[in-house]
Every structure is written in C-alpha cells, then in structure tokens.
Amino acid sequence: MSKNTTKLRYLAAFAGVSALALTACTGPAGNTSNTSGGASGGSFTIGTTDKVVALDPAGSYDNGSLFMETQVYPFLVNIKPQGNEIEPDLAESASFTKPTEYTVKLRPNLKFVNGHTLDSKDVKFSFDRILKINDENGPASLLTNLASIATPDANTVVFTLKQPNDQTFPGVLTSSAGPIVDDEVFPADKLMTDEDIAKAHPFAGAYDVTSYTKNQLVSLKANPGYVGLVEKAKTDVVNVQYYANSNNLKLDMQTNKIDVAWRSLSATDIGDLKTKDNVKVHTGPGGELRYIVFNFNTMPFGSKTAEADPKKALAVRQAMADLVDRQAISDSVYKGTYTPVYSPVASGLPGATEPLKSLYGDGNGAPSLDKAKQRFADAGITGPVTVNLQYNPDHYGPGSGDEYAKVKDQLEKSGLFKVNLQSTEWTQYSKDRNKDLYPVYQLGWFPDYSDADNYLTPFFVKDNFLHNHYDNAEVQKLIAEQQGTNDKAKRADLIGQIQEMEAKDLSTLPLLQGNQIAISGNNVDGVDTTLDAAFKFRLAVVSKK
Amino acid sequence: MTALVDTPAEIEPPALKRSKKSGGGLGRYILVRFLLIIPTIFILVTLVFFLMRVTGDPITAALGGKLPPDQLAAKIHDAGYDRPIFVQYFEYLGQIFTGNFGSTLDNQPITQVLLTYGSATLELAFFALIVALLIGIPLGMVAAKFRDKWPDAVLRVFAILGYATPVFFAGLLLKLVFAVWLGWFPVAGRANTDNALALQQLGSPTGIYFLDALRSGNMAALGDVLQHAALPAIALGLLTGGVFLRLVRTNVIGTLGRDYVEAGRSRGVSEFRLVTKHAYKPALIPIITVMGLQIAMLLGGAVLTETTFEWKGLGFQLAQYLGSRDFVAVQGIVALLAVLVAVTNFIVDVIAALIDPRVRY
C-alpha cells in the first residue's frame, strides 16, 4: 500500500470520528423549528402516543383517529371550547323538528380545502357510507338509531330517527361518527387509504394536511376557508409527532424538543414533569372511568352458584363498596391523574351526581370497616368470602396491576374477604368476560361523546355490553325515558334517579375517573382552553408565544 | 469462520499462495454456497410460519374480542384460515416464490413496508457498522500491542461489556447520560421535525436521511441527522464493536508472533509500525467473514435499538406489528429479513473466499 493511500485511510477514519464528535458539539438538541409568531401565526409541535387507526371516519373509532379528525374534518354540531352544551358548528342551526326528525341547516357557501362544494349531499354521503361500509373498526354502531337521511335542499339535512326525541343523537354527531367528508373524493362503499385522503385534501376543519406519514409525522396548516365554532386557528402550522414509547415523549417534552405532549404519559412521568420548571402540566376534566363489574350469575352468592342468595350477593357488593379506598389508589398508584368517582356517570357532565359517596363507607368517600361488617352481619354472612377478582394488564394502562393489588389489599385487610387476584391478556380477557368466566372483574370506559346517557345505556339496559346478567326493569324504563326527554332539567332529574338506583344495586362499582392531562412548554397558550367537557383536543386554540 | 477465542488463530502469511484442496474451484464454491441459500430460507420460512400459527390464526389474533364470534368466523373463512394448515403452508410458499410476502392488516404489501422502512434500518446498520469498526479495529490493535497488560485487560472487559450488555439497556444508558443529563444529543427520532418534513418532501427521497440531507445540500440538516444517528449507532455498534475488538486483538497477537514480523523486528522496525503496518492487515481478514454473521446480529439488535430510540425503521415496525398482533406482517417481515440475511451471508462468503487465503474451495 502506498503512503498516500494509508494517509487517506487515516484521514477518512479521523473524519468519521470528527463528524461524530462534531455532531455532539453543534449545540443543544432542541427543536429548531421556526416558531416566530408574526402574521403567519407561527408553528408548534405536539407529541402523542395515540396512533391513528384510519383517517377515513368510516374505518376509525378510537382516540388517536378522532384527535386527527377533530382537526381536519368539520362536524355539524360540537361543544365549543370551555362549553358543555352542544351547539351548531358547521351547521347554522340544528334541532328536533319532529319527535323523529332532527333537522340541520348548513352554513352557506361551504367549501372543502380542495375547492369542492360542501353541501347537504356530502352530509348524507358521510353517514350513509359509515353504515354501508360497516367496518369492524368503524363507528357504525353509534348510528343504530338512524333510520334515514333526506336532503330537501343543498343546505338542509333531515335525519329521521327510529326512536323519537333521542337526546343522545346530537352527541353522536360530535363523536367518531360525525366527521363530514367530501363525496367527490371518498368512495361510497369502501375505505380510502390515509395517504390517498391526505393527497386529495377533502378537509374543511380548522386545519388541512400538508404532509402525512402515518403515525410518524403529520404536518397541518391552518385552513383559511374554515368556518365553525372555533373562530380561527391561532397557529398557522402544527406538526404532530407520533411516539411509540411514552418515555421518549416525556423526555422530548422535558427537553423542550416538542411544545406540547398529549396522551399518554404514565402517572410517574407526569409526577416527574410537575417538578420541572421548563414545562407546565395542564389538567382538565376527563371522561374515562375505571370500575369493577359484578357478574350476577357467578359472583359470590350469585344466582348460578351453589349458595345462590341475592341478599348475600348484594351484601358482598355493598361491603366491597364500603371498603375500597379510592383516594389511596388515586394517590399511590395514579399520583392524582385519576381521581375518585362516586357514580357510574363521570362527574362534570350535566345530570351527574355522587350517590355512592353518601351510601357507602364513612359517608364522605372514605372507607368504613364497621359498615362493611354490619352488611355481612345483616345478611347472615359469617366467614370471609372468597372473591375471584380478574384484571387486565395490557388494555387499561400499566397501573392496573398496582391498582388491583391495592384493591385486594384493602379488601383482605378487613378480614371479610379472601381475594384471588388473577390477570389475563386482553385478547382472551375480552372473550372470557362474556362467557361468565370472571365473577368479579375490572373494566374501563372512554365515552363516545359527552353525555350522561353514554355511561348508562351501554351498561344498564337488558343485554348490555357487560353481559353481567343485571336486569332492573325500573332502571331500563328510566333510561328510555331520559333519552326521549327534551326538558333539560327533567332529564337531569331522571339521570339522577338512575344513578341513585344503580348505586343501590351496584351492578358495577365505579372507582376512578381519569383526568385529561397535557404538558406544554411555558411559552404555550390555550392548552387549558381545550381540556374541557368535550374531551377533544382542539389544536386550533393552542398557540406558542 | 474464525472462532472467537483468545488463542491466536493460525494465520497464513499474506504472501502464501492459495492451494486448492478439493479441486472444484471458486465457481463451484460460489455455486454450492448459492444453492445453500435455498434450504436455509426454506427452513427459516417454514419455522416462522409454523411458530406463528402455534398461537392461532392471524384474524383471531388481531380481531379476537373485538368482533362477535359469527363475524370473526366469517372473516377467518374469507381469509382461508379455516383450511388445513398444510394447504395454507404450501399456498404461502407459493406466494413467497412469486415475491408476495403477504399484506399487513391495513392492506399494505409487506414488500412496500420493506421499501418504506428498510432504508432507515439500512442507514442505522451502516452507521452502527462504522462505529463497530471504529471501536473494534484500533482498540483491538491497542489490546494486542499491550497484551496481558492493564490496557489489554481494560479493553477486554470493555469488549465483553460491549457485546454482553443488552442493546436496549445500553441505549437507555446512553440516552440518560448524553441526551437527558448532558443534552448533547436528541432523545429519539431520526431528525428534528422541520428537517424530517423537509427531507420527506424532497423529490424522490431515498429514505436514507444522511444521503437525502447531502443531496439537498442542507448542512444543518446533515448535522442534525448525524446528531440523531449518533446514540442509536453507538448503542448498536457497541454490540458488534466488542466482537470486532476481541477478534482483531486475537488475530493481531497471532500475526505478531509470525516469522515475517519477527524478521521486521530484528531489522529494527518499531513496535508501533509493526502493529499498524505489518501485523494488522492479515488480522482484518476474518472481520470480513464475521461481518456476515454480524449483519444478522445488527438486524436483530435493530428491533430493540429502533424501539428504544424511536428510529422508525423495519425493526421499529416489527415491534409495532407485534404489539398490534398483526401476525401476517410479522411473518412477512421476519421471512424477508431471513432472505436478506441469507443473501448477505452468501455475498460475504464469496468476498471472504476471494480475499482470505485460509478459505478452501
């Protein structure tokens, strides 16, 4: 080898090492995005672990997809930031014009970003295709009360419902079933890929998609033609960075590489970020519930057990309600990110009350051993009752293991229960729970839309999704009645009565309610504005100084 | 292949002429090696297929619990997963033969997944290999030079730690120290948001950010890409670097004892020059051979490295598909990786045969 070649090799090696070393010295690894405000409205980056299943509303019914749909698609009605009532959004007006007819008048001269006209045909098309495609990941199940849609003129849509005065229908229009899509772009009978959707710009929400790499990086630009409940997007460009690992999301937030972190950080990470000076932790009301389900056939003293005794079975449920210390679980396991709930309906929603607080424990939300012992004595239960308690470790977050270890500990410490705690992976869990294999088990709920009914109908009507053999005709009658009651005060009263009855029956034992939590840099505004009862993160109200 | 032991390997002097033992020649050697790819891939694909099916059919794995039993059964029937397993197996083999590795649950062909994400993995593997060579060769020579003295002991421990430390642990440690505490490097990703967007919007991007940044002439983006690549490349490169270090040390020690080196020493050539000029060249040859195996190790390590650093390549996608129980995608990617490893090993074997006089054919 010649000397020159040797030198060249050393030089190349040196250059390689230097390149690596230099990269370390090119300054802090923060985001270099152009964040100057100015007329353009600047930009910011939001990080999330919530993945998009599909950008096509007919094929998605999940938090990650709804987050993106909220930004890019218009909705007929919605809840405005910091509001708690449903109002017209893309619509000019929306109301029941007959018991089975819900009529929507669209705002005039609506357009999609691609220039196509947005009229009543697009609205009808959007809902019809969800039902026609009926995708397993889609929201067709939310539209079961929809009989037909008529479009008398370009700006009028009439929804005909199967059940009259369905007060939950406006809520459905704000949900995953509600995005309005472009009938000139989407096929009527099959799903469209995310990439094709992004290229066609069939959007009329606050933002348009300018770059789309699914579940990696999406860039949004404010839609100048947007009209709706949010007056105007406060930021011109928003980049959405997807993370697979919540720890990376946390670290990037901590080092201000991103400006906002939205779903889902662990309680420990949130607790840690609360101690940092360069970020703010924002908390808002959340709709997520964590609760225990009782199978009325197979729970201790259940109707299909050898010692069947409804009175004793009720005493077991009530004693458990007396003994669980929700606050202790909230503090030790979830660091306050989930807070105690004393009703099957999430607190903060119109009609929500807290009947379990006064009925069980010390009457103020804390546990009471004496009361639990009295329940057993009154029912004639002598020895400790064995409870086979199931939980799931992979569907409701990593805290489930600690949460249910705590529940076991709290019940066993009383001496009234012997708890066999078991866990099963979700795929099997979701099947087994429907086969009466779990006498007492964990479930969680994230609402489809902001309405108390969404916490009642799915759980307490006959043949509900819990399949726990709970059947109370009076509760079912009241549920049907509140659904068809126009008067808000009267409806709230009915919802209160249902909660009271459920608290006495204890078909489920509500434990905790999840807060909405977002983290932002100190120079970000508007995050608190969007953490409201709508349970929707609206990028349009967030800005960076 | 050279065994990874500390005893010096028997190394022929570089000038030794190759002697043909079996009389078949290089052509026959290459042909045999090439034909061996077929049973290798066949066995790997068969293993992957049956191991994946032990857990049930892919439809139930992905949608079990989401759909009512009748709808689930209909989907299983439509996809043909209720047919005898061997019928499905032979159909799968037929598909692979035509280059069809199947599709993901969201209907992306596996070959498309490979094209989309393979470039990121290739880039990471390339950087990791550079790190491994930068660590392994010079430090191996130093260890050999100071044989059985403290620098040698330190480097041997370092080498063992390098390949014995789980790659995700090394990654987390590097992240904690250099990204979180010191703030020198980014925590995750392949580039910052603006640069990633700019590189994605280039005309006909290669997907290899380093090359795309070079093409765009954006030096700030290039620096950013290198900065993002540094920690994942080091985490993954340490794995292979440790192996290279020990290999180079062992072989340099072997060559330092050869007659031609002794002759140089007796003529007054300095020890430094003996190591860096005369002894290291033949000692590097086995690295070529070992590199073939290291490719498989790098791809295996890439799953964990990419997941740790959110490096969105094939390994990252594989972990995502596993998480979402998309077993068709997992099966397709693993089978495709098996093909890649088999072909890479074949190429490395051929190169080794051409340059390593100890290889007999």
Side-chain angles (χ1 to χ4, degrees), chain A residues 23-24 26-27 29 32-34 51 136 211 213 216 239 241-245 248 252 257 394 425 427 430, chain B residues 65 67 75 117 175 180 185-188 192-194 196-197 200-201 226-228 308 310 312 316 320 325:
Chain A
T23 56
T26 50
T32 59
S33 67
N34 172 16
K51 293 195 193 73
E136 67 257 16
S211 174
T213 310
Q216 290 195 28
N239 299 317
Q241 177 83 52
Y242 288 89
Y243 291 81
N245 183 335
N248 286 330
D252 270 355
K257 195 189 170 198
D394 62 325
E425 198 188 6
T427 313
S430 55
Chain B
L67 290 181
K75 281 198 170 289
Y117 299 101
K175 246 173 36 172
V180 180
F185 295 99
V187 169
N192 77 29
T193 311
D194 289 349
L197 281 169
Q200 282 171 13
Q201 282 160 7
L226 285 173
Q227 205 176 13
H228 278 80
T308 305
E310 301 262 349
K312 286 162 181 165
F316 177 86
Q320 298 302 301
R325 302 171 202 286

Side-chain angles (χ1 to χ4, degrees), chain A residues 95-106:
Chain A
S95 60
F96 279 95
T97 43
K98 286 182 188 170
T100 55
E101 278 185 12
Y102 189 76
T103 301
V104 174
K105 286 269 182 199
L106 296 176

